[in-house]
Amino acid sequence: MSISTRYSAEDTEGKWYQKWLEKKYFHSTPDEREAFTIVIPPPNVTGVLHMGHMLNITIQDALIRKARLEGKNACWVPGTDHASIATEAKVVKMLREKGIKKSDISRDEFMKYAFEWKDKYGGIILEQLKKLGASCDWDRTRFTMEDKLSKAVVKVFVDLHKKGKIYRGLRMTNWDPEAQTVLSNEEVIHGEENSHLHYVRYQIDSDEEIETIETERLKRELAIFERNIKNLKRGNDKKLLKSNLTKIEHLKTQLAAEQDKLNWVTIATTRPETILGDTAIAVNPKDPRYAHLKGKRAFVPLINRSIPIIFDRYVETDFGTGALKVTPAHDMNDNEIGERHKLETIDVFNANGTMSEAAQMYIGEDRFEAKKLIIKDLKVSGNLVKIEPYKNKVGRSERTNAVVEPRLTLQWFMDMKDVSKVALDAVKDGEVTFFPEHFINMYRNWLAEDKVKDWCISRQLWWGQRIPAYFLGEDFFVAETPEEALAQAKEKTGNNALTINDLQQDEDVVDTWFSSWLWPISVFDGFETQEELKYYYPTNVLVTGWDIIYLWVARMVMAGYEWSEELLGTEFVEKKGKQPFNDVYFTGMVRDLNRKKMSKQWGNSPNALALIEKYGADGVRFGMLSSASAGNDIIFDAPFDKKTKSVLNESKLCEQGSKFCNKMWNALRMLKLLEKVDNPTTVEAEKINPLAKTWMDNKFNQLLETMEVNYKSYRLGDALMNLYNFMWNDFFSEYLEMIKPDYGAPIDEASYDEAIGFFEKFMTILHPFMPFVTEELWHQLRDRKDGDDCIISSYPKAESYDKSFIKKVDTAIEIISKIRSIRKEKGMKDKEPLKFYIKKTKTVEDLFNLDGLEEMLVRRSFISELKYIDTDEVEGTISFISGTDKFFLESTIKIDVAAEKEKITTELEYTQGFIKSVEKKLSNERFVQNAPAAVVEKEKQKLADGQARIKILEESLAQLN
RNA sequence: GAGACUGUAGCUCAGUUGGUUUAGAGCAUUACCUUGACAGGGUAGGGGUCGGGGGUUCGAAUCCCUCCAGUCUCACCA
């Protein structure tokens, strides 16, 4: 039989994925088994596979495959998100390229184009996930904007409105005066631009004289001088009189200037045209310069409107003049200040960016023109103090490049007060567990009572679920259907002649997150029928990036607590909980070697599909997992081309994965190529092979235990590395070498079967990480009946194991390694048969009591003859220590006494240093008293062993002399 | 500006509630080996005052304080 010397991922992966699909292994329907559920964080429907997805998907797939192997009913629900903003922007761009403007077509026409676009490009990403081996239940693929899910959105909107949790309110939004639409924060590009800071003075509106410490001081001083004058006039020192009079004049001017200063307050602004909309001047309450302005008012220049002077901590004392004009209609912060101080709001702009009637001046002029005009007028009126050049950040519309105006618009909000507390408590109380834990800090940072902001759920877009509010003039009716809204309208107005055409549905759609927050419920159609929800809810784990902890994770928790009891009943939630998922595993961001976040924009992300092609899906999965630890960012090792500075589709870690595939492949090849006979052909094999088997059995259980600990805390990378190291070092390098017959010799059937049996188990436990290669090898290992596949094999349960047995074999392996090391150092051949002597002690006796151990050692380290001796010295050998025992290896070359001495001295010094530190500990009374007995005991053992080693080393040194 | 996280070998990371060890892994690197399952291999090495400085403790990579550096989130200065 001939098998290629290399494993080919290319030939394997597609084949098995197809087979799994045919066999419907990914499909889940409720049954009597325990469910294990994951809902995918739905990628953007128009997205393409990137590194972040690969990491995320690999982790989810590993978890779901493990659960499947453990006999659970594993259900991984895939799907996509409609991503309002991003998708609409793409559709608008596509239309523009066709010469169609969004404003020229109807809503229905636009939606037709959008769905065409979605059908064409949507779901590409899902096909790409298959390349990676994702074992999603594709029959359950959902889309956040499909009918059923949209109905759920409308339903919860109506429900929340009924509960009084949804309201309409004015809110500052980013307004594009050119496109005349609201933009989301993501659509505004902020950039530094050259501008000017205008210093404008406002006159204080006050009849009474304003006193400050300075004016009082001046007045006092003036009074003193005036008194002096009276006396001086009586005297005859004309010179002194004159100087005093001058001083008085001076003081009077100073006082006048000071008082004049007090009658004005100067502010600095980059936007003088909004002065007309000022409704207050704000200063910092701690600013001594303005303390005298408490309770005062000032006049807006040119229009002379009297506005209050208010004190607000927001104002920075060291910026500009420390006084800020407040225009609540045209600045986000001013708006907040306005809310705090209940200020009037005057909108001086029209929707198209021209001055409105409320401005009183320059009505109808464009805002940029108005700016020029007002500067001129302020100069004329004497209010303009100075103009300084200034750089500031200006927001421009991503689409039209128009300067974005903050503008108050009516939006829909969801009250977050109660739900945020519920969501925070869910994590605090451990109903939802975060991995890593510390993300609760970030979570709290957003949800804490004083931090949380109401959720603006309306978006001025078409691509999304339209808000189910129907207007009749100023009145509106929220209902699941227009008919219901009509009924409500009829009842409210008492007008039975109303028709649906009299009602106007809100133009806006809801935020995309307002549909994805229902995902863990809606993918099971939970708002319609609870049959499946009862089986799959709460889902087991959510795997997502921490960047959407607020946007998505927190909101899903809110939705879960809001509706699960209504849907599933009190009894159910008392038993299983209301939470949408029990655990949340936060993956890190994938970064490049410069720690920059990988993104399309930067062009620093390798091509995901190219990587899969190069290293195989298994190789890439290995690479992703081995660099992934929960919560920590992943520095992906794709190098950059030095010349072009572009990222290469290469990765050492992925290469390691593909090498691993090859290693397994070749180990299998070796086994398959062996000739099999009924009985062991050598005495050694008869002894060694059972030892090897027992050792592997014990070690395997130990491995399962270690991996399980790592699985439990989602340390998948660690679990994989446990397995990788174990397979490579213990299974391939040690075990297979132990049982491998001499070249050309046959192996006995029993030992062969045992090896295949172990191999098989490894395939099962490796399967979650590297599904393709394991499935392929699973089938290479034995002839399989139809349906006997690795993907549904059963995950072995850890059994107890004998630690002291493992320790003994490991000690023997250590001795073998030392023998090799000496051969290497001394330039002796690896396989040249040499004599070997062991100083007989209790420990040695105990060690080699183990059946087969001696034979194993002899065979693995090419020993011609093994003898136990009682002396401390053997002629023509090199000695070494393992543990506290001494061994002697025949040396065919002359010993370099000096070098040997140096080596022993170095080791001696190290051991002495070590002993010293242990002694120091033990001689410390407080240590002996305070440390746990076990720790002290260990230290004592360390001391005893160390002393024994020193003794041997000293002896060896003495013999060399 | 507020907050969070990270800093351990050339690189990427472990170090599991302070105590098997004067610090571990993988990769990279060095030397040697290699017709025998695998050069996509084997064997053996080298490499770290655990970011700096204080403190708590019998004992600190681990806990506390402080400083420095990086990353990110939120808020962004009229």
Side-chain angles (χ1 to χ4, degrees), chain A residues 9 53 119 151 240 342 381 498 663 714 717 786 851 883 892 899 933:
Chain A
H53 295 128
D119 290 339
K151 267 186 193 149
L240 189 62
K342 307 256 177 307
S381 70
L498 286 174
K663 181 75 182 175
Y714 295 98
D786 184 47
D851 244 8
T892 51

Side-chain angles (χ1 to χ4, degrees), chain A residues 174-178 183 188-189 193 271 273 353 367-368 393-397 400-406:
Chain A
N174 301 303
W175 182 260
D176 179 341
E178 200 168 304
L183 302 176
V188 180
I189 300 164
E193 296 191 13
R271 304 206 58 194
E273 70 278 19
R367 58 206 158 122
F368 297 109
K393 274 190 181 169
V394 175
R396 285 179 179 273
S397 166
T400 62
N401 201 36
V403 173
V404 169
E405 283 298 334

Side-chain angles (χ1 to χ4, degrees), chain A residues 700-712:
Chain A
F700 186 77
N701 283 311
Q702 191 181 36
L703 170 73
L704 282 180
E705 191 184 87
T706 315
M707 284 177 72
E708 204 50 39
V709 169
N710 285 323
Y711 262 120
K712 285 254 158 66

Side-chain angles (χ1 to χ4, degrees), chain A residues 152-166:
Chain A
V153 167
V154 170
K155 206 168 186 170
V156 303
F157 189 100
V158 173
D159 183 53
L160 288 169
H161 183 258
K162 259 185 212 154
K163 289 171 176 165
K165 289 182 178 174
I166 282 183

Side-chain angles (χ1 to χ4, degrees), chain A residues 58 243 352 370 421-422 454 477 511 749 761 805 868 929:
Chain A
T58 302
S243 80
N352 62 358
K421 187 180 182 308
V422 169
D454 282 354
F477 306 95
D511 181 12
E749 198 79 50
K761 280 191 193 170
F805 178 89
Y868 295 92
Q929 272 167 19

Side-chain angles (χ1 to χ4, degrees), chain A residues 15-51:
Chain A
K15 175 180 79 180
W16 287 115
Y17 202 84
Q18 209 45 49
K19 178 82 183 288
W20 294 330
L21 284 177
E22 277 164 26
K23 289 274 177 187
K24 292 216 164 281
Y25 288 140
F26 306 161
H27 186 56
S28 166
T29 45
D31 58 26
E32 69 295 338
R33 287 175 299 165
E34 182 190 342
F36 185 92
T37 322
I38 298 180
V39 291
I40 203 170
N44 180 345
V45 69
T46 60
V48 288
L49 190 70
H50 61 64
M51 301 303 288

Side-chain angles (χ1 to χ4, degrees), chain A residues 634-651:
Chain A
I634 283 116
I635 314 292
F636 194 77
D637 64 340
F640 288 86
D641 188 295
K642 274 178 193 146
K643 279 182 196 158
T644 64
K645 300 243 165 99
S646 60
V647 72
L648 297 169
N649 295 321
E650 286 173 16
S651 156

